[in-house]
Amino acid sequence: MRNVVVVDGFRTPFCKEGTEFRETDADVLGTWVVRDMIQRCHRWNLPLNTIDCVLGSNVATPMHAVNPTRVAAVTGGLPLTIPADTVAGKNCGSGVTALYYASLRIRSGDADTVLVIGMEAMSRIPVVYHKHVADFLLKYGKARTLRERIAGTAALLPKLLNLTRYPPQVGLLLGLTDPMCDLIMGLTAENIAKDPMLGISRLEQDDYAVRSHTRAAAAWDKGLFVDEVVPMYVPELSGYVERDNGIRADAGQETFANMKPIFDRRHGSVTPANASQITDAAAAVLLMEEEKAKSFGLPILGYIRAYADFGYEPSCMGLAPVGAIAKLLSKTGLALKDCSLFEINEAFASVVLGISRILDSPSLMERKFGRYGLTERLGEIPPDDLNPHGGAIALGHPVGVSGLRLALTSLFELRRRDAERALISACVGGGQGVAMILERK
């Protein structure tokens, strides 16, 4: 079996929707990290044609670049002869899945070196015209005579202005709504928070959110993200963006307690404060077959050990990582106690709290996953080892990039701790979960 190593990786700062990266399309974000990785290859004296292919992760595919990975690879400066594909359909799990697909190509001998990138420009997700308005716009575009244009304008304008009858649809909300259960992701989080078996209170969710912000702020203050985050020059700003901009150093219970529920306004407990942020960002990870990396004298940040995914109920999609983690541990013969670090994507505070409780309870495993043949308690995740430097609640959740961030954050923390193994996991809209084990040696 060929071993797959992570040579190096990095990410841009995570910027909240509508802020520093608001004018930047996903393929351009991808171009930035490709260029930075090319500079690293030059420093290592690694020929660019050593890269066999590029795999990218992007969920909100830009209409002008339906394979944004190829666009980013070529415009970023890689040779035209290097092919590129985009993983999009795994939603929030796309980044982890892209790493897995890349590792498969290397293990099989199909490739020796794969560049994996993630890019997400959630600020650029379009607003969609109502169907009737869109039909009239298409007809207007086909008008050939002045009379036809005047008639088309007269028919179109009342519909464009009648937002009550012909409301435009926000593409972001459409993308975050699951057509199988007709619930926006926040309501699936409410289902978990309201589950009496799990007993998750509003106070606990807010406490967890405060913890995420406090830990992320402390990580920046201590310089712990310096290897992970690369400043990015933004032409529209004529300057560099250097830090994640969604972290609230002033986070506290008194601050978050005043936030009103946003998905179930009358009876809910999921608020903007205890949910992940809508974010723009990009990341890059270079994978290589172990002996090839050693032959070039390259650094080795870690190893991709194993991956698993799992299908669950769409209306409670946030719990699906439990199944993925159980499947992964069974596949590898490992236990939770064999892992020194855990990065579980903080889609919502209720998600991480629910996953942690089920993993540590035989009765909850039986009730929630018994029908899938999973009944054994897997164990407790030590709080200090779970998302030790905050997560998506504080940093943000650019859906196609988050999986790469989980991997990079874990590997850099393993190196700091001189520890051996990390487990990363994420829930996926549509009722899926992904999990991966990364190792230092």
Side-chain angles (χ1 to χ4, degrees), residues 217-232:
W220 270 110
D221 290 344
K222 295 174 183 176
L224 300 185
F225 287 142
V226 67
D227 292 327
E228 179 179 328
V229 179
V230 174
M232 286 292 155

Side-chain angles (χ1 to χ4, degrees), residues 15-66:
C15 293
K16 293 174 67 174
E17 175 198 22
T19 60
E20 281 88 339
F21 293 161
R22 65 185 179 277
E23 301 295 332
T24 309
D25 289 313
D27 54 298
V28 178
L29 289 169
T31 298
W32 291 353
V33 294
V34 168
R35 287 175 181 163
D36 205 287
M37 185 60 78
I38 287 174
Q39 292 176 3
R40 296 185 183 210
C41 289
H42 291 330
R43 291 199 296 269
W44 298 324
N45 293 318
L46 182 69
L48 295 183
N49 59 14
T50 305
I51 298 173
D52 296 304
C53 65
V54 185
L55 286 182
S57 168
N58 171 254
V59 177
T61 305
M63 288 180 288
H64 68 275
V66 293

Side-chain angles (χ1 to χ4, degrees), residues 379-394:
E380 179 186 10
I381 297 179
D384 289 343
D385 298 330
L386 173 61
N387 301 351
H389 303 309
I393 289 174

Side-chain angles (χ1 to χ4, degrees), residues 198 206 240 259 362 383 397 407:
L198 298 176
D206 286 351
Y240 283 87
M259 290 277 188
H397 181 21

Side-chain angles (χ1 to χ4, degrees), residues 46-359:
L46 182 69
L48 295 183
N49 59 14
T50 305
I51 298 173
D52 296 304
C53 65
V54 185
L55 286 182
S57 168
N58 171 254
V59 177
T61 305
M63 288 180 288
H64 68 275
V66 293
N67 184 359
T69 307
R70 173 63 176 173
V71 177
V74 173
T75 58
L78 288 175
L80 292 171
T81 52
I82 299 175
D85 301 320
T86 302
V87 177
K90 204 76 168 187
N91 295 337
C92 307
S94 294
V96 178
T97 304
L99 289 171
Y100 172 60
Y101 289 167
S103 72
L104 281 183
R105 293 197 69 170
I106 294 173
R107 290 190 203 283
S108 69
D110 183 54
D112 289 328
T113 307
V114 181
L115 174 59
V116 181
I117 65 173
M119 63 219 117
E120 205 68 67
M122 302 186 80
S123 294
R124 306 293 288 169
I125 299 175
V127 173
V128 182
Y129 280 117
H130 188 280
K131 182 180 183 302
H132 291 303
V133 176
D135 288 343
F136 271 94
L137 281 170
L138 289 173
K139 290 179 182 177
Y140 181 78
K142 295 177 182 179
R144 293 292 177 264
T145 67
L146 178 60
R147 177 176 292 182
E148 288 176 342
R149 291 192 185 98
I150 293 173
T153 301
L156 177 61
L157 279 177
K159 292 178 171 57
L160 277 174
L161 297 175
N162 191 344
L163 298 181
T164 302
R165 185 172 181 183
Y166 305 107
Q169 294 180 296
V170 179
L172 177 62
L173 296 181
L174 290 174
L176 292 174
T177 301
D178 185 346
M180 292 180 285
C181 60
D182 197 28
L183 295 176
I184 194 168
M185 293 298 100
L187 286 176
T188 71
E190 285 283 10
N191 285 342
I192 295 170
K194 294 173 182 175
D195 189 331
M197 295 185 197
L198 298 176
I200 299 170
S201 68
R202 163 71 186 271
L203 180 63
E204 287 175 302
Q205 293 174 72
D206 286 351
D207 278 343
Y208 185 88
V210 170
R211 188 192 88 153
S212 183
H213 282 274
T214 301
R215 290 185 171 190
W220 270 110
D221 290 344
K222 295 174 183 176
L224 300 185
F225 287 142
V226 67
D227 292 327
E228 179 179 328
V229 179
V230 174
M232 286 292 155
Y233 182 79
V234 182
E236 292 82 2
L237 303 177
S238 299
Y240 283 87
V241 176
E242 298 182 346
R243 291 180 59 135
D244 307 316
N245 70 4
I247 302 169
R248 295 189 57 173
D250 66 338
Q253 256 298 339
E254 63 283 353
T255 311
F256 290 171
N258 293 326
M259 290 277 188
K260 296 185 182 299
I262 190 171
F263 301 105
D264 180 352
R265 297 182 185 276
R266 292 190 63 189
H267 306 294
S269 59
V270 177
T271 73
N274 57 43
S276 59
Q277 301 173 33
I278 307 299
T279 313
D280 308 322
V285 179
L286 185 65
L287 303 185
M288 190 175 283
E289 191 274 325
E290 181 181 21
E291 296 306 316
K292 183 103 171 186
K294 289 180 177 178
S295 72
F296 279 102
L298 296 175
I300 294 178
L301 184 58
Y303 292 75
I304 293 182
R305 169 74 182 274
Y307 166 93
D309 51 10
F310 189 83
Y312 194 63
E313 300 161 23
S315 61
C316 292
M317 64 91 202
L319 300 181
V322 172
I325 292 169
K327 189 175 175 180
L328 181 62
L329 296 178
S330 175
K331 179 179 180 179
T332 57
L334 296 170
L336 285 182
K337 62 181 177 60
D338 296 320
C339 299
S340 304
L341 183 68
F342 302 84
E343 283 284 340
I344 297 177
N345 192 43
E346 295 174 353
F348 301 91
S350 64
V351 164
V352 182
L353 293 169
I355 291 169
S356 299
R357 290 185 182 177
I358 295 172
L359 290 173

